[in-house]
Amino acid sequence: MNRIKIGWGEVSLTPKGRKVELVGQFYERISDVVETEIYATALAIESGDDVAIFCSCDLVSTSTHLLEEVRNRLKGKDGFPTDKLMISAIHTHTSVGYAGRSDSAGSGLSVLSKLMPEDKQYKPLVKSDDPNLLNGKEALAFLADRIAEAALKAWNCRSDGMYAQGFARAAVGMCRRVCYDDGSAKMWGDTNMANFTELEGGNDSGIELLFTYDTSKKLTGVIANVACPAQVLEHRSFISSDYMGKVKEKLRAKLGNDIYFLGLVSAAGDQCPRDMIRWVEPETPINDPNIERTNVTERVADPSMFDIKGCDRVARRIADEILYAYEDVCEYTDEAALKHKVIKLDMPLRRVTIEEKDKALEAIKRFVDEAEGGFDYRDNAKMHVYAGTVERYEIQQTVDVIEIEVHVIRLGNIAFATNPYELFLDYGNQIRARSKASQTFLIQLCCGSFGYLPTEKAEKGSHYSAYVSGGTSGHIGGDLLVRKTVSEINAMLAE
């Protein structure tokens, strides 16, 4: 066995004195204030001849473009192993937008722009030509610099340490896809109607935990793997690290300001922090055409999971459970086998049929003919599926597979596995259930941003998150990803 070395690093991603373009909705939002700072938090683990560097970013996504920029900045610096760096996103919708933030093929609205006459082009709600606005390539460079700095800090402060395993359970993520009696499904669908039959999927309240220590058993950091994206505050116009940042604040209040917190989002492409059955309206209005309710019944339930009060409730649940688990720690590991494998996997491109393409073109033409003046964010949301379908048809004439980067890591009897999707929960459950590891940490939206990866059931139900244009791969690719991940984990553990 080999001694474990552990290093931590944290760097702010909040641009001082600059506004940012917030991303994750169909309408434009420009930040007005900072609700909570956003960060890149890095953890370096070394044992024997192998290393793993995790970097969790308070961003909506970490594309291959961003990953490449970060790795380029780290080449040749202090022997940093750039291929062993993983950067992931907590998927907060209240963070910095940047150039090239998506790797998804066929999800843009460029088709509409080509087909719409000049006087009917999309009209943004917000003009983003403010010189105080950090966006585009400037934002990309800013983020790459800061993320690289955090990773290098973790790398350079590696020292002998140890870890302890833990487990918590908190009700955070719930399925956000609603099914109806005609076989259809809708993200954010209304459940208060006779045609509602069920939620499409389940939820996972389990939280995989790892505590890191120095050689005197002083706590240095906490790793938590939660099956819910950090998007309570997704519609707001301020910068925020959402519930993940508040978890860190609460842990530091109890355990000391010098501890680090690495928040990792597990498979959660169909999950949200809201109860679709006990629906509670936002405290203040939101601009989301997919979330509109009439005749809402007032519930005695959680506070609004669109607002800060609800965000704080989620964070408190998670932090309290982490603290309970921390109190139960009694076994520490200071020597463990570490193996880190980087896999390039060809994922099949999800295709559209000729009939689907023709129907999409008809819908776009009908919209163009009927549109009066320009179109706004509601039209943007409505036409997203059709534009993406046409674009995917064009792409699939020359592209069959898309290469993704997957990391599989063994640390003692623990496994870590990454993927670059908003991966539906069922796939994560399949991997975790079949893994031979005592704990399996799954990290989505890592080393790429290739959109949603829905199940076959979701594809049949359709709607946002399951449209063909919502991500580059479908359930065939999902099955391939599960099989490959499970086989790699179990092969490592058998060595």
Side-chain angles (χ1 to χ4, degrees), residues 188 190 236 274-275 278-286 290-299 301-307 310:
W188 309 124
D190 193 347
R236 303 308 170 191
R274 301 177 190 113
D275 189 334
R278 302 174 187 85
W279 182 263
V280 176
E281 282 282 274
E283 294 175 2
T284 50
I286 58 174
N290 287 316
I291 305 180
E292 295 180 342
R293 297 288 187 274
T294 57
N295 303 317
V296 174
T297 301
E298 188 171 336
R299 308 288 186 185
D302 287 329
S304 163
M305 287 298 166
F306 294 92
D307 296 283

Side-chain angles (χ1 to χ4, degrees), residues 8-11 40-43 53 55 80 145-155:
W8 284 94
E10 179 184 88
V11 173
T41 303
L43 166 65
I53 305 102
C55 191
F80 192 100
D145 287 343
R146 295 297 181 90
I147 295 168
E149 182 183 347
L152 195 60
K153 280 186 176 181
W155 176 250

